[in-house]
């Protein structure tokens, strides 16, 4: 128990400097983007006096170290500034857009895991047989398909041709849950199928490694049914590496869903970042990058903290 507590404390302490480093990198990267935020906010017809006054109001006249300190203080208080383009507070805007991305990504990863873990286990059990070949070939094919291309195929078939699902738009779940579900079925299905290929191959590799261990052969020698061996002895021990990949996939998708949100015209976090880059809305860009990095760090922290549940030996390291 003490070893587990030390493991948890160590992982949480490591997350703090990681988040600080992420904040520094986000701040510096945004400052490297070409363009003048004051010019973007006031337009091309603004006078030099107006531009200078706005730069002073935004703190851009101060040294970059001072700017970072002020920004860090406001960030820790939950204040990420205001959007240059529409004047909205950045944090509520990001949280509202994040809800859309989170629904799609979480549902897609959950469905992908439901398909991939049993599929990988079956492929490992039937290694080098027809079922294994079929599952591995399908997983490889899914890995090779770009998500935006598969999304456009789904839109063409199920939207334009069959008219089963809407092609563009979005309805919040708080407004009409049934209608909202129709708008997210295709993006969820697209992401789920793509990620199923990744998780299936990982699940298969882990299961094959576990199937070769002595305790599995011992369980079979005792006369246990094959289904019991697979579900009780192989699956729990083979799931730990797959769980890590699920966590990494979740973080990657939340940070890189911009293309798919653009294809399906979804008002998510990724699309907000793309639109903000085109409009040079620096506070929103900064907030989106920070949110994406924060999500990735937190997801990996949760994965690390849950790992001892699947492999108790980790807590002792």
């Amino acid at each position: 128990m003490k070893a587990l507590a030390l493991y948890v404390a160590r992982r949480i302490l490591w997350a703090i400097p990681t988040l600080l480093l992420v904040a520094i990198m986000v701040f510096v990267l945004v400052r490297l983007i070409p363009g003048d935020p004051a010019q973007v906010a006031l337009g091309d017809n603004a006078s030099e006096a107006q531009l200078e006054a706005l730069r002073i109001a935004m703190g851009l006249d101060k040294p970059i170290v001072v700017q970072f300190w002020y920004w860090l203080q406001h960030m820790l208080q939950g204040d990420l500034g205001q959007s240059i383009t529409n004047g909205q507070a950045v944090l509520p805007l990001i949280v509202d857009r994040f809800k859309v991305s989170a629904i799609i990504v979480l549902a897609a990863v959950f469905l992908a895991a439901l398909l991939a873990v049993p599929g990988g286990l079956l492929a490992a059990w039937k290694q080098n047989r027809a079922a294994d070949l079929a599952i591995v070939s399908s997983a490889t094919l899914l890995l090779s398909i770009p998500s935006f291309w598969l999304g456009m195929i789904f839109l063409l078939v199920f939207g334009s041709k069959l008219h089963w699902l809407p092609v563009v738009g979005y309805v919040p779940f708080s407004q009409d849950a049934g209608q909202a579900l129709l708008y997210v079925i295709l993006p969820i299905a697209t992401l789920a199928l793509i990620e199923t290929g990744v998780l299936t191959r990982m699940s298969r590799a882990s299961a094959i490694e576990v199937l070769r261990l002595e305790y599995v052969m011992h369980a079979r020698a005792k006369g246990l049914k094959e289904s019991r061996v697979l579900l009780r002895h192989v699956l729990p021990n083979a799931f730990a590496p797959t769980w890590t990949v699920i966590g990494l996939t979740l973080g990657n998708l939340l940070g890189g869903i911009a293309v798919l949100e653009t294809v399906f015209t979804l008002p998510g976090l990724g699309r907000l970042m793309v639109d903000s880059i085109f409009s040079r809305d620096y506070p929103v860009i900064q907030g989106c990058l920070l949110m994406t990095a924060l999500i990735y760090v937190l997801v990996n922290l949760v994965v690390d903290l849950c790992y001892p549940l699947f492999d108790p030996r980790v807590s002792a390291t």
Side-chain angles (χ1 to χ4, degrees):
M1 198 67 181
K2 183 178 179 181
L4 180 60
L6 289 174
Y7 172 82
V8 172
R10 191 162 56 241
R11 289 296 185 270
I12 293 176
L13 288 175
W14 269 110
I16 296 174
T18 302
L19 290 173
L20 179 60
L21 180 61
V22 165
I24 295 173
M25 292 181 64
V26 166
F27 185 84
V28 172
L29 286 174
V30 170
R31 294 304 183 277
L32 293 177
I33 298 176
D36 184 357
Q39 188 76 62
V40 173
L42 297 178
D44 296 332
N45 297 324
S47 66
E48 188 59 37
Q50 291 174 318
L51 292 174
E52 189 61 29
L54 183 57
R55 291 190 191 105
I56 294 173
M58 296 173 68
L60 299 177
D61 61 317
K62 296 179 174 61
I64 190 168
V65 176
V66 178
Q67 292 182 42
F68 175 74
W69 176 246
Y70 286 158
W71 175 73
L72 186 62
Q73 285 181 317
H74 285 87
M75 182 192 68
L76 293 176
Q77 297 172 5
D79 180 14
L80 297 179
Q82 291 184 324
S83 169
I84 293 176
T85 56
N86 54 34
Q88 287 183 268
V90 172
L91 184 58
L93 178 62
I94 290 176
V95 171
D96 186 57
R97 295 295 191 95
F98 172 71
K99 293 177 183 177
V100 180
S101 301
I103 289 172
I104 295 169
V105 170
L106 290 173
V109 172
F110 178 73
L111 289 175
L114 283 182
L115 293 172
V117 173
L121 187 62
L122 176 61
W125 182 43
K126 298 291 185 180
Q127 187 180 7
N128 299 326
R129 300 180 189 175
D132 180 30
L133 180 61
I135 292 173
V136 171
S137 299
S138 300
T140 304
L141 178 62
L142 291 174
L143 275 170
S144 306
I145 300 176
S147 60
F148 70 88
W149 183 85
L150 183 60
M152 289 189 288
I153 294 297
F154 281 170
L155 285 175
L156 177 64
V157 174
F158 297 104
S160 300
K161 299 294 183 182
L162 299 177
H163 302 288
W164 289 357
L165 296 167
V167 176
V168 295
Y170 177 76
V171 175
F173 277 85
S174 58
Q175 179 178 326
D176 187 338
Q179 190 68 17
L181 184 61
L182 295 177
Y183 283 96
V184 299
I185 287 177
L186 290 182
I188 288 174
T190 302
L191 275 183
L193 286 175
I194 297 297
E195 297 307 319
T196 296
V198 179
L199 297 179
T200 298
R201 292 175 66 90
M202 187 66 219
S203 177
R204 175 184 179 272
S206 300
I208 288 175
E209 184 178 351
V210 173
L211 281 168
R212 293 171 178 169
L213 296 178
E214 291 184 4
Y215 72 85
V216 174
M217 293 185 287
H218 179 67
R220 286 171 171 168
K222 289 169 59 179
L224 293 179
K225 293 182 179 179
E226 195 66 17
S227 59
R228 187 176 179 84
V229 173
L230 291 174
L231 296 178
R232 184 172 180 178
H233 297 283
V234 177
L235 179 59
N237 293 284
F239 186 70
T242 307
W243 169 252
T244 302
V245 176
I246 290 174
L248 293 173
T249 299
L250 191 61
N252 287 332
L253 288 180
L254 285 170
I257 198 178
V259 174
L260 204 64
E261 288 177 348
T262 303
V263 170
F264 289 101
T265 62
L266 296 170
L269 183 64
R271 191 176 174 197
L272 174 64
M273 188 185 301
V274 172
D275 293 341
S276 301
I277 291 173
F278 281 120
S279 61
R280 297 294 193 275
D281 197 336
Y282 297 111
V284 178
I285 298 172
Q286 203 165 249
C288 288
L289 287 173
L290 185 65
M291 175 65 79
T292 302
L294 178 64
I295 291 166
Y296 197 88
V297 171
L298 291 179
V299 166
N300 280 276
L301 177 61
V302 171
V303 169
D304 283 345
L305 296 181
C306 292
Y307 210 95
L309 298 176
F310 307 111
D311 189 353
R313 295 170 299 174
V314 175
S315 61
T317 60

